[in-house]
Amino acid sequence: MAVVLENVTYSYNLDEMHRIDAVKNLSLRIKEGTFVALVGHNGSGKSTFAKLLNGLLLPTSGEVKIFGNSTLDGNKIYEIRKDVGMVFQNPDNQMIASIVEDDVAFGPENLGVEREEIKERVEWALSKVGMLEYRKHTPFKMSGGQKQRLAIAGVLAIKPKVLVLDESTAMLDPQGRSEVLKVAHELNREDGITVIHITHFMEEALDADRLIVMNDGQIAFDGKPREVFKHYEKLKEIKLAVPWETQMAISLKKVGLDMGSGIVNEEELVEKLCQLL
Amino acid sequence: MPITIRHLSFTYSAGTPYEKKALENINLQINEGDFLGIIGHTGSGKSTFIQHINGLIKPQAGEIEIFDLKLTPEKRPKVNLKALRSSVGMVFQYPEYQLFADTVAKDVAFGPKNLGLPSEEVEKRVKQAIEMVGLDYEAVKDRAPFELSGGQKRRVAIAGIIAMQPKMLILDEPTAGLDPFGKEQILNLIKYLKTHCSPTIVVISHDIDEITRFANRIVVFNDSHIVYDEPMQQLFKHSRQLQKMGLDIPRAVKVVNSLRARGVDLGEDIVTAEDLIKAVVARYNEVHSTSLDENAGVFDMYDFSQKWLTTEERQMLEEESSSEEAPIDKSIKSSEVSEDSKK
């Protein structure tokens, strides 16, 4: 198992009197090589969940295990941080060097990787995210999508087994979003990297193997995206949504059209409408 | 005329190897009552453009007339920037990052205070603005902004702008980074502000389906030029060209185009989800000789029918009918704090 959470609770202490459980008694297993999409409204606990995965936060109770290593085990924490790469929301906060290849080399350099090996890794990582031609460029003038792909390359150079994208597409334009998503899927497919993609965009969850919906620190739904989107009423109640096309099918159904069920994308919506019209 | 822009051009780092043209001969008139959407991909010049309207960037060439102020490349006469910024309210991307005061009320008061208004007037405006964005004044005024949720913080930031009672409001990516519910709340707020606060609104967004929800006119920036300036219903005749520029077109337009390619022509002028529902139902009635109600279709994610009322209005409604849902965000209570605040 790539990721195992056993009865994990994480509490923020406000003061002596108040505390909030951001994650409540959560148990979960993620198989190696899975592409997981994780959604939930602001404050549902998903970012806390992400930070628990590589020991940035330690559980108040319960245990988080990455490939069998517990984040509570001080001897294993560096191994865990190597295994779980994180890319965050703001593309401008994740660059440290003024030249692209130096930025990507930062991680392996700090791990004491051999010079030759670093060179290989930087090349590999940059080509994986489609940025090799920019290796001598400065990251500061790049588009948001390019910066996030560069951030992913920086993580890849550490050779992680799990890639966590914590709302990494939130600040990007549609083009940047699809670039990042494409790279994440390729890494999952071609290199077997387990991806945990945290997002507010429901349509980004469609191609995931598994969709986990968090609400109030717990798992509200966990299944194939298609199956989860059938629960649109409940999803609305917990301040989420379904893909636009699904909402369209539901709206037409309410007027009296026989839309069937399970429409999640444009192709299926158009197909159904062609049959009806 | 609120805003007239003539022959505006701007180049970053002019005369250096990093020289980059951002705007080239921009001509645009923004009319009173416009609900204007601005689209264009990253780097197309739209942000540089709106920074001009707020006086953050001085024109290098061309001129801008804003209400009765004139911005030109000349050094003199000096423009009264305070007057400019109180008539054009600017809500930047992620405005909640700019909250700084230790209470919500103080933060919202910062703008009107700096306009030199008497303290009673400031207080009155603060209360109004906070309620206008759908927050409960008594519940939030003494709270630290950082204790609120992401969507609530953003609304506080917007309250800080509308407390200056601008005649025109510019919002840059107002819903970026919010969850679907938070997005809907902000979109509803913007519509509300159009009728109750500032009659002219400009919104920049990457999400075309969001823009088509309210804009009556859309301006498209591409490669430092304005390439289209059209009524919302007309713009997507240029779908193919827009897509070539790397811009999204509304999902309803995509569906209509795909249907047309397969021999089902629902006609032109379909832009929003509601348009599509209507057209589909009408066609269905035609084909199946049924009489389903074309106007019964709604594309509502959430019910916000009464979300944006003042306390007084809400009380009146509550007295009228006790069963209806309260409009103001009641999720803020002094005892509970959102998850965001502890990070």
Side-chain angles (χ1 to χ4, degrees), chain B residues 11 21 27 31 36 62 77 122 149 156 167 178 243:
Chain B
T11 307
K21 264 211 168 95
N27 292 286
N31 307 310
L36 181 73
V122 172
S149 78
V156 169
K167 288 185 261 184
L178 297 178
Q243 283 173 313

Side-chain angles (χ1 to χ4, degrees), chain A residues 12 14 20 41-43 45 48 171 173 200-201 203 236 239-241 244 247-248 251 255 266 271 276, chain B residues 42 94 177-179 181 183 206 251 258 262 273 288 292-293 297-302 337 339 342-343:
Chain A
Y12 291 97
L14 305 181
I20 294 260
H41 63 81
N42 288 332
T48 304
M171 295 179 85
D173 60 15
H200 284 316
F201 297 99
E203 65 273 19
K236 275 201 283 196
K239 299 186 174 184
L240 290 173
W244 189 92
Q247 179 68 33
M248 178 53 74
S251 300
V255 184
E266 189 192 319
E271 183 60 44
L276 290 175
Chain B
T42 313
Y94 295 84
L178 297 178
D179 58 34
F181 186 78
K183 275 187 192 190
H206 286 308
R251 286 183 164 96
S258 304
R262 296 186 52 174
H288 299 266
L292 301 174
D293 186 358
V298 281
F299 195 79
D300 272 5
M301 299 303 292
Y302 309 101
V337 176
E339 187 209 336
K342 276 126 279 139
K343 292 177 188 167

Side-chain angles (χ1 to χ4, degrees), chain B residues 5-19:
Chain B
I5 291 126
R6 293 185 201 94
H7 308 297
L8 182 69
S9 295
F10 191 86
T11 307
Y12 284 104
S13 316
T16 75
Y18 300 105
E19 185 170 299

Side-chain angles (χ1 to χ4, degrees), chain A residues 2 8 32 40-41 53 64 78 93 110 124 133 144 149 190 192 248 256 263:
Chain A
V8 172
E32 187 169 12
H41 63 81
L53 292 180
V64 178
Y78 286 102
N93 291 350
N110 274 286
W124 171 76
E133 54 181 312
R149 283 189 286 150
E190 293 164 12
M248 178 53 74
I263 288 174

Side-chain angles (χ1 to χ4, degrees), chain B residues 1-3 29-36 67 87-89 166-171 190 193-195 197-203 217:
Chain B
M1 212 54 74
I3 296 191
Q29 198 158 306
I30 302 174
N31 307 310
E32 179 144 6
D34 265 356
F35 215 149
L36 181 73
F67 298 101
S87 49
V88 181
K167 288 185 261 184
M168 175 177 167
L169 207 53
I170 303 176
L171 302 109
I190 294 171
L193 293 178
K194 176 81 168 67
T195 36
C197 172
S198 61
T200 311
I201 290 193
V202 178
V203 176
R217 177 182 168 198

Side-chain angles (χ1 to χ4, degrees), chain A residues 1-258:
Chain A
M1 276 302 144
V3 175
V4 176
L5 271 75
E6 269 164 20
N7 306 96
V8 172
T9 297
Y10 184 84
S11 318
Y12 291 97
N13 288 315
L14 305 181
D15 50 51
E16 275 132 50
M17 304 297 288
H18 302 91
R19 52 172 246 189
I20 294 260
D21 296 338
V23 168
K24 288 179 199 161
N25 200 24
L26 191 73
S27 295
L28 166 82
R29 291 161 171 269
I30 296 173
K31 260 197 238 157
E32 187 169 12
T34 317
F35 194 111
V36 179
L38 182 73
V39 302
H41 63 81
N42 288 332
S44 61
K46 54 192 192 319
S47 279
T48 304
F49 170 78
K51 293 188 179 92
L52 283 164
L53 292 180
N54 73 345
L56 280 176
L57 296 176
L58 296 174
T60 309
S61 65
E63 205 173 12
V64 178
K65 284 186 195 159
I66 307 296
F67 292 98
N69 296 323
S70 168
T71 57
L72 292 169
D73 182 349
N75 296 320
K76 299 284 186 189
I77 195 73
Y78 286 102
E79 198 173 326
I80 288 171
R81 294 214 171 126
K82 233 171 64 187
D83 283 347
V84 182
M86 304 261 288
V87 175
F88 296 98
Q89 189 183 96
N90 193 332
D92 293 317
N93 291 350
Q94 298 172 76
M95 307 295 141
I96 42 96
S98 55
I99 300 292
V100 165
E101 57 182 7
D102 295 351
D103 196 85
V104 179
F106 182 78
E109 270 171 2
N110 274 286
L111 294 174
V113 175
E114 293 289 325
R115 208 184 131 77
E116 276 308 305
E117 162 95 15
I118 290 178
K119 227 181 121 192
E120 268 170 43
R121 285 195 189 189
V122 168
E123 257 173 50
W124 171 76
L126 283 173
S127 64
K128 271 284 159 194
V129 300
M131 298 277 292
L132 193 57
E133 54 181 312
Y134 294 96
R135 57 190 302 172
K136 303 283 181 197
H137 288 223
T138 173
F140 302 108
K141 295 203 168 179
M142 290 180 171
S143 73
Q146 288 173 323
K147 282 181 191 168
Q148 287 299 60
R149 283 189 286 150
L150 177 54
I152 293 176
V155 167
L156 286 182
I158 304 170
K159 300 253 172 172
K161 295 181 190 151
V162 180
L163 177 64
V164 181
L165 303 172
D166 189 2
E167 294 191 35
S168 308
T169 55
M171 295 179 85
L172 306 180
D173 60 15
Q175 204 177 337
R177 275 169 52 200
S178 70
E179 283 169 17
V180 168
L181 210 60
K182 188 168 155 266
V183 164
H185 275 288
E186 280 169 7
L187 290 168
N188 174 252
R189 223 174 22 240
E190 293 164 12
D191 302 86
I193 293 177
T194 308
V195 176
I196 301 174
H197 176 46
I198 302 176
T199 182
H200 284 316
F201 297 99
M202 299 302 143
E203 65 273 19
E204 287 185 1
L206 273 177
D207 296 325
D209 300 319
R210 181 174 170 190
L211 171 57
I212 298 174
V213 179
M214 280 191 76
N215 182 46
D216 203 13
Q218 289 172 319
I219 294 176
F221 295 101
D222 183 354
K224 296 251 173 236
R226 256 172 211 286
E227 295 303 313
V228 173
F229 288 138
K230 285 184 181 158
H231 304 277
Y232 60 91
E233 291 291 352
K234 184 75 180 81
L235 287 170
K236 275 201 283 196
E237 271 170 43
I238 58 175
K239 299 186 174 184
L240 290 173
V242 289
W244 189 92
E245 289 78 7
T246 309
Q247 179 68 33
M248 178 53 74
I250 293 164
S251 300
L252 288 169
K253 205 173 184 173
K254 277 188 186 155
V255 184
L257 269 69
D258 178 18

Side-chain angles (χ1 to χ4, degrees), chain B residues 212-315:
Chain B
T212 52
R213 294 265 298 272
F214 48 70
N216 55 19
R217 177 182 168 198
I218 298 181
V219 165
V220 183
F221 275 81
N222 189 42
D223 200 13
S224 32
H225 293 85
I226 290 181
V227 285
Y228 294 111
D229 175 2
E230 306 218 10
M232 198 263 277
Q233 305 285 342
Q234 307 294 319
L235 180 69
F236 301 102
K237 297 202 167 106
H238 313 290
S239 294
R240 203 174 298 154
Q241 291 90 326
L242 291 168
Q243 283 173 313
K244 252 188 213 159
M245 290 172 203
L247 295 173
D248 261 2
I249 57 170
R251 286 183 164 96
V253 176
K254 281 190 200 165
V255 171
V256 169
N257 291 349
S258 304
L259 283 172
R260 188 176 295 131
R262 296 186 52 174
V264 181
D265 194 348
L266 291 177
E268 307 279 331
D269 292 347
I270 296 165
V271 176
T272 64
E274 278 81 8
D275 297 343
L276 181 62
I277 294 173
K278 242 185 216 180
V280 167
V281 175
R283 173 59 59 92
Y284 185 87
N285 281 337
E286 227 176 279
V287 176
H288 299 266
S289 313
T290 48
S291 49
L292 301 174
D293 186 358
E294 291 168 34
N295 298 310
V298 281
F299 195 79
D300 272 5
M301 299 303 292
Y302 309 101
D303 184 15
F304 285 101
S305 38
Q306 293 173 37
K307 269 287 191 248
W308 312 110
L309 303 173
T310 64
T311 312
E312 290 79 29
E313 285 172 322
R314 180 171 48 115
Q315 276 165 356

